[in-house]
Amino acid sequence: MKLGTAKRFTLPERDSFLRGYGFRKELSRGVEEPIELGVMAISENDSCDVHLIITADIAGINVTECALIYDLLDREYHIPADRIWISSSHTHFAPGFEAYFIPHHDGTLAYGDHPEDTAYRTLWHNKLLDAVSCALNSMEECLIEHLEVEVPGIMFNRRTLKKSDGLVEQNYIYPDKPEDFIFSKCDTTLTAWRFMTDRGPKAVLAAVGCHPVTGGVDAYCISGDYPWYFKTKVEELFGCPGFFMLGAAGDSVPRLRGPDSQEFAQKINSRKNLGDILALTLQQNVLLFKRDKKQSVSMKTVEFPVELPAELDYENAEKNYQEAEKLQSADLEHCIASRFIAQTYPGRKFTMPLRFLRLGDKVLTGMPFEVLSIISLKLKEANPEAVLISVTGGYNGYLPLAEDFARQGYECSFGFTHFAPGTGDTALKTAIEESLLI
């Protein structure tokens, strides 16, 4: 096994629109923590078949943008798409590339559609090319080790069920009266891989399912959130670069968020605490790192069928929008949002990619969604070697199971999940089958 690594900061050169929250209506105004991209170049022995793992501090990179990156890397380095893995940390405090919509009339940004951020895309692509070149030129012999350890005390499932009626009541922060709710399960496993050379660790890669929405003093400031502090602490503790991927965190959030004031910020930095806890957990369990029996790496991509609800068919969405605008009806904004989402898809029925990465003894299963915890738990039950990674190879809203829609809740509502009920079940079934084959 050979491994090379590199990282590059990806801060924009000007104020930018940060992705992740619908309330934003102006550009960024500073940096609280840096954001970066990371590249791991891996091959088996002297094989020329190099695989790239790209980790990015960004809310998500959609399927179309991922295709641009695949083409870029194929042209420059002759590494095809089926050997490239792109995972976003899903921080809610970073700029993105894609067009966006402002639903507010009282901000400094105009109401309506805004174009792609081509300047940031170019900057990000150039940083990526530089990092890939450095990673390819720093490859050396190593061995893969991994561990799994539970970290239950840092998160909770925000899709809490009211004891009164069994329906979901969203709790974005830990509820004041937890006794009023039934808490659904989270996938609380922290999985980490350590790549060892004769001199010691060359890199640590970790995955955990906790939404990077810890937050800081100013939601308009750029931040890598807790993954930034995790990676920084890994470098301090292990003497090597740290890399982060997001597990099934669609409904799993930090138990302690904030700060919401400068005064609170002087007492506690929740982002730092959470990142440090994860890195220190690895250090405290360092004896659990065991050499993988399979010193191998391979990737594959499988397309699975998806279907949009009728109102997200573009022809329907455009028709509804035209009628609502003409009448200035109360659901105009809903129709605008439907049209905005619909135009990003090729039709009502198409396919989406699931990506699989055999990394030593584990199989990483990458889904282009914010995946709910139950999907990861069911995947692991069927295949204990599987590790679910969210926001990988694309970013296309939330992915619930069909059973979740009956309970309602934010992640199952229009605009947040783009696809018809049953999509998550199909994705899970495909993931189980294919993860057993790689």
Side-chain angles (χ1 to χ4, degrees), residues 174-389:
Y174 197 77
D176 291 333
K177 295 183 177 180
E179 64 275 11
D180 292 344
F181 300 96
I182 299 170
F183 287 81
S184 301
K185 291 183 179 180
C186 298
D187 183 349
T188 59
T189 303
L190 170 63
T191 306
W193 296 262
R194 187 169 64 168
F195 298 82
M196 297 295 292
T197 68
D198 293 339
R199 302 181 309 281
K202 185 174 179 68
V204 171
L205 169 67
V208 70
C210 184
H211 227 102
V213 290
T214 317
V217 175
D218 191 344
Y220 283 92
C221 283
I222 292 171
S223 172
D225 207 83
Y226 80 83
W228 164 256
Y229 287 105
F230 167 76
K231 293 179 287 185
T232 302
K233 195 67 174 180
V234 163
E235 187 160 358
E236 174 190 329
L237 297 175
F238 290 86
C240 66
F243 297 83
F244 175 87
M245 293 185 296
L246 185 68
D251 49 6
S252 173
V253 294
R255 186 164 292 182
L256 181 62
R257 296 174 70 169
D260 56 5
S261 69
Q262 197 68 47
E263 180 182 358
F264 188 78
Q266 294 172 357
K267 298 178 180 179
I268 185 170
N269 183 333
S270 302
R271 292 169 170 168
K272 185 177 188 303
N273 286 356
L274 183 48
D276 286 357
I277 286 169
L278 293 172
L280 287 164
T281 298
L282 295 184
Q283 186 192 50
Q284 288 298 108
N285 290 276
V286 69
L287 297 179
L288 296 183
F289 274 108
K290 301 298 180 185
R291 183 175 299 178
D292 286 27
K293 296 177 181 178
K294 300 175 182 177
Q295 293 292 315
S296 61
V297 59
S298 61
M299 294 187 192
K300 70 176 179 180
T301 303
V302 176
E303 298 284 334
F304 79 102
V306 297
E307 181 177 350
L308 299 173
E311 65 180 319
L312 285 184
D313 176 80
Y314 186 76
E315 289 187 5
N316 290 337
E318 179 66 23
K319 177 183 176 182
N320 293 339
Y321 163 72
Q322 294 291 348
E323 292 177 355
E325 185 179 48
K326 181 179 178 180
L327 299 173
Q328 287 297 298
S329 63
D331 64 345
L332 176 59
E333 289 197 4
H334 176 87
C335 292
I336 291 173
S338 301
R339 177 173 172 258
F340 186 79
I341 294 171
Q343 66 188 5
T344 65
Y345 292 112
R348 188 173 175 192
K349 294 183 179 181
F350 52 100
T351 62
M352 292 287 289
L354 298 182
R355 303 186 79 85
F356 299 88
L357 166 60
R358 162 66 70 179
L359 191 60
D361 292 343
K362 289 292 182 180
V363 178
L364 285 70
T365 302
M367 295 188 176
F369 310 97
E370 296 183 60
V371 184
L372 268 58
S373 301
I374 187 62
I375 294 179
S376 179
L377 295 170
K378 287 180 177 289
L379 175 62
K380 285 184 177 181
E381 182 181 4
N383 181 3
E385 288 188 355
V387 180
L388 195 145
I389 309 295

Side-chain angles (χ1 to χ4, degrees), residues 135-174:
L136 292 173
N137 286 302
S138 66
M139 297 180 72
E140 60 180 317
E141 295 287 346
C142 67
L143 293 169
I144 303 177
E145 304 174 338
H146 85 271
L147 68 75
E148 292 178 300
V149 61
E150 296 301 308
V151 285
I154 65 170
M155 66 186 80
F156 75 100
N157 193 317
R158 70 186 181 191
R159 286 176 60 80
T160 50
L161 303 179
K162 292 177 289 183
K163 289 182 178 179
S164 58
D165 59 14
L167 295 179
V168 167
E169 179 175 310
Q170 242 28 71
N171 273 295
Y172 296 103
I173 59 174
Y174 197 77

Side-chain angles (χ1 to χ4, degrees), residues 113-140:
D113 293 349
H114 288 255
E116 299 173 343
D117 192 337
T118 55
Y120 188 60
R121 179 191 289 123
T122 298
L123 180 150
W124 202 93
H125 283 188
N126 288 337
K127 297 277 190 177
L128 175 63
L129 290 175
D130 188 35
V132 171
S133 177
C134 182
L136 292 173
N137 286 302
S138 66
M139 297 180 72
E140 60 180 317

Side-chain angles (χ1 to χ4, degrees), residues 6 17 21 48 53 61 84-85 96 114-115 119 127 135 213 240 247 323 332 337 344 362 366 382 428 438:
F17 183 70
Y21 290 124
C48 62
I53 299 176
I61 303 175
I84 301 172
W85 178 278
H114 288 255
K127 297 277 190 177
V213 290
C240 66
E323 292 177 355
L332 176 59
T344 65
K362 289 292 182 180
L428 173 60
I438 186 172

